[in-house]
Amino acid sequence: MASKYNSASYFEDALLAETGFREYDARWVIQPTGDDTPVGLNYLGVRILGLHLGHFLVDELQAGTRIVVGYDFRSYSENVKNALVVGLLQAGMEVVDIGLTTTPGAYYAQFSLDVPCVAMVTASHNENGWTGVKVGHRKASTFGPVEMLGFKEFTLGGRALEREAASGKYSFHADARNDYITGLVEEWAVRFRGLPRLKVAVETGNGTAGLYAPTVLEKLGFDVVPGHVTPDWTFPHFNPNPESVPFLRSVESLVAASGADLGLCFDGDGDRLGVVDDRSQLVFADRVGLVVAKFLEEQAEVAGPFVIDVKSTSLYESELASNIVWAKTGHSYVKAKVAESGAVAGFERSGHFFFSEPLGRGYDDACVAALTLLWALCSAKAKEKKWRLSDKLALLPSSFSSPNRQPYASDETKYAVVEALAAYFEQRDTLAGKRVKQINRLNGIRLELDDRSWLLVRASSNSPNLVIIAETFDEDGSLMKLIDTEVRAAIVATGVQVGPFDSLAEI
């Protein structure tokens, strides 16, 4: 029997699974991935999605008819983009197609071309077979949960299918990539004037960012040591995800082999940054953000609070003089909170960095994040003996941080799983022998212990997984192992259905 994917019905019947509409973007499997995740989208479904998106932007959000559209480097992304554009044109939208791009490249085009809306076709760091759309209805803003829920209900209700087809307008802007690179180099050349440059190892994992990041850094005078920077949609080496340990380990090797001062890795669509220090040690993004924030506090040109997500180290509140604003994990959440609070910057542990004027335009851009970190280090090198990233990290209190562990939990059950685990932990006065000082339910459950150690359990917003992270401030890391044991015991005690995940010893 033919599968739904390999059948005539795949081309004739719309496939648009409800589960693809997530908290702040939309993602589906459009080609079989080799695991058990079913195909949830076809090209007819994409066209219907575009039709409803156009009407939703105009009729429900009054966002205007002009929209920037781009796509990432995957074998099927251009076809997805084309189907989406057909639907947008049927809705009467004026589409400005910028072609192959990173997500920040699409955001940048909103400003440079003065277009209010954006639809970026990308699955970000998800494995091949996945696709998705990141949507914004105004500059430096992407759909959050309110807009996504409204868009979901509008689309699944088929509300645009009853409307008479309109005739939109299409144009292709071939210079978008060059505009982005030239603009960024001109903006940052002023800050780097008179400063020493560094040797930088760059890894993009054969993703779209390979067309951008190495060129930006080279034009600004950095000595770039390239890793796998040539785009290859088979991703032959590893998945370009800055939270993926194999991806980060490859950058460690690149730094060690080249003697680079720093290692930078960019995710599949270029909006997230991973960092490896001069000693070839991976540095989680929340620590990178803290180093950058301490530098920015010293600069006369910036002032204001900092936004961090619930996955971030507790050191922000003790190490910075500025006010700290907590946000839910997710690029739309942090981005919105940065704008709402007037923050100079926002940091998300997954590698999204957000900088307000004058450093950035409020959206997440891994190139801007890399340049800000390099600016801090180059400025330090010009006047200090201990200027390297490892030197800056050594000034912070030491702690043990776990990687981002993501055991499988289906999209249909993951939020219920988190609530069951949260109810279990809320009844506990202690965790791993430490008193529970505070419980944060902003996003899943974060247990703060009396020695600043913490545990977070939440549902992933963009994949069928849980997210489990902990940080401890003990001397030998044994507390981390005790917390891990208690998490596993909680899963057994509550009877929730969770897939296996790596033990700390295996990571």
Side-chain angles (χ1 to χ4, degrees):
M1 178 182 295
S3 68
K4 189 169 183 62
Y5 171 69
N6 185 15
S7 66
S9 65
Y10 178 79
F11 296 96
E12 297 170 345
D13 302 326
L15 185 58
L16 189 61
E18 179 178 355
T19 53
F21 294 90
R22 300 171 189 273
E23 288 184 43
Y24 42 80
D25 58 22
R27 298 188 196 188
W28 294 267
V29 171
I30 195 167
Q31 293 182 355
T33 61
D35 59 19
D36 295 330
T37 307
V39 172
L41 182 72
N42 60 5
Y43 292 108
L44 179 54
V46 177
R47 181 168 63 78
I48 291 173
L49 186 75
L51 173 66
H52 283 82
L53 175 58
H55 282 293
F56 185 74
L57 289 170
V58 174
D59 301 338
E60 302 297 316
L61 299 181
Q62 288 78 51
T65 60
R66 300 184 70 219
I67 185 168
V68 166
V69 177
Y71 64 93
D72 67 3
F73 194 88
R74 294 178 188 254
S75 62
Y76 45 82
S77 289
E78 185 176 19
N79 289 336
V80 175
K81 181 267 299 182
N82 289 340
L84 186 75
V85 167
V86 170
L88 289 167
L89 293 173
Q90 287 180 306
M93 296 293 287
E94 182 179 342
V95 176
V96 181
D97 187 348
I98 63 171
L100 179 63
T101 183
T102 58
T103 295
Y107 296 155
Y108 184 91
Q110 287 181 272
F111 285 86
S112 64
L113 301 176
D114 192 22
V115 177
C117 302
V118 65
M120 175 65 189
V121 172
T122 178
S124 185
H125 62 275
N126 286 40
E127 295 179 352
N128 263 333
W130 284 84
T131 191
V133 187
K134 294 180 179 178
V135 181
H137 57 300
R138 57 179 180 268
K139 296 171 185 174
S141 176
T142 44
F143 276 15
V146 173
E147 293 84 6
M148 282 304 301
L149 178 60
F151 179 40
K152 172 184 175 180
E153 293 176 345
F154 186 85
T155 303
L156 296 180
R159 292 171 60 180
L161 296 177
E162 304 169 356
R163 306 185 186 188
E164 185 175 344
S167 178
K169 183 179 179 181
Y170 176 88
S171 63
F172 183 76
H173 185 71
D175 295 328
R177 188 189 312 161
N178 183 64
D179 291 347
Y180 170 90
I181 292 173
T182 301
L184 209 58
V185 169
E186 290 177 351
E187 290 173 23
W188 280 88
V190 177
R191 290 191 179 89
F192 285 109
R193 185 176 298 145
L195 294 179
R197 300 298 197 267
L198 306 183
K199 187 175 186 178
V200 185
V202 176
E203 178 62 84
T204 63
N206 302 110
T208 322
L211 298 172
Y212 289 76
T215 303
V216 168
L217 294 174
E218 286 171 351
K219 285 181 176 292
L220 284 168
F222 290 93
D223 180 6
V224 174
V225 181
H228 304 289
V229 298
T230 301
D232 182 340
W233 60 49
T234 66
F235 303 123
H237 304 286
F238 31 67
N239 193 31
N241 177 4
E243 285 188 298
S244 166
V245 173
F247 189 32
L248 290 166
R249 297 296 185 211
S250 73
V251 188
E252 290 179 348
S253 299
L254 188 61
V255 170
S258 65
D261 298 310
L262 190 69
L264 302 173
C265 58
F266 298 77
D267 81 331
D269 67 328
D271 60 5
R272 294 167 59 213
L273 180 72
V275 176
V276 169
D277 72 11
D278 49 286
R279 296 182 177 178
S280 301
Q281 299 295 310
L282 70 89
V283 185
F284 290 121
D286 53 346
R287 291 263 174 162
V288 175
L290 183 54
V291 169
V292 169
K294 289 176 75 69
F295 168 74
L296 293 180
E297 280 193 332
E298 301 169 358
Q299 304 306 303
E301 69 172 294
V302 297
F306 293 98
V307 174
I308 60 174
D309 79 320
V310 296
K311 292 161 60 178
S312 297
T313 175
S314 57
L315 290 175
Y316 278 91
E317 294 186 318
S318 61
E319 293 296 310
L320 296 178
S322 303
N323 291 332
I324 300 302
V325 179
W326 289 87
K328 291 183 177 182
T329 289
H331 64 86
S332 287
Y333 291 124
V334 181
K335 194 180 318 181
K337 190 63 72 173
V338 167
E340 174 190 317
S341 64
V344 63
F347 308 108
E348 188 184 20
R349 192 181 189 265
S350 65
H352 289 279
F353 295 80
F354 309 80
F355 294 95
S356 301
E357 296 284 358
L359 300 175
R361 294 175 174 82
Y363 54 79
D364 38 340
D365 185 336
C367 278
V368 171
L371 292 174
T372 307
L373 175 60
L374 288 168
W375 181 38
L377 297 179
C378 291
S379 297
K381 186 177 182 181
K383 59 184 179 180
E384 301 173 18
K385 288 185 177 180
K386 293 188 175 182
W387 58 269
R388 297 179 183 277
L389 181 56
S390 61
D391 297 325
K392 301 301 180 183
L393 293 168
L395 297 175
L396 303 175
S398 61
S399 69
F400 295 89
S401 296
S402 73
N404 196 45
R405 296 188 289 166
Q406 294 187 291
Y408 177 84
S410 72
D411 284 319
E412 294 82 0
T413 65
K414 62 187 180 184
Y415 294 103
V417 168
V418 169
E419 287 306 308
L421 292 172
Y424 173 89
F425 283 119
E426 284 180 319
Q427 303 305 311
R428 305 286 301 275
D429 295 325
T430 63
L431 177 69
K434 299 287 185 179
R435 183 175 67 89
V436 176
K437 182 180 180 180
Q438 182 178 341
I439 295 177
N440 184 336
R441 290 302 313 273
L442 176 64
N443 191 193
I445 182 168
R446 175 168 166 146
L447 302 172
E448 302 274 356
L449 309 184
D450 56 10
D451 69 341
R452 293 185 301 179
S453 300
W454 53 273
L455 164 70
L456 173 73
V457 181
R458 59 179 290 272
S460 171
S461 302
N462 50 37
S463 62
N465 301 97
L466 301 186
V467 176
I468 302 172
I469 298 178
E471 179 183 28
T472 66
F473 289 85
D474 55 336
E475 294 183 357
D476 59 1
S478 58
L479 183 59
M480 182 72 72
K481 296 182 176 67
L482 292 175
I483 290 176
D484 180 65
T485 298
E486 293 214 18
V487 170
R488 294 174 187 277
I491 291 172
V492 173
T494 55
V496 294
Q497 298 300 307
V498 174
F501 57 103
D502 292 338
S503 72
L504 291 170
E506 295 170 328
I507 295 174

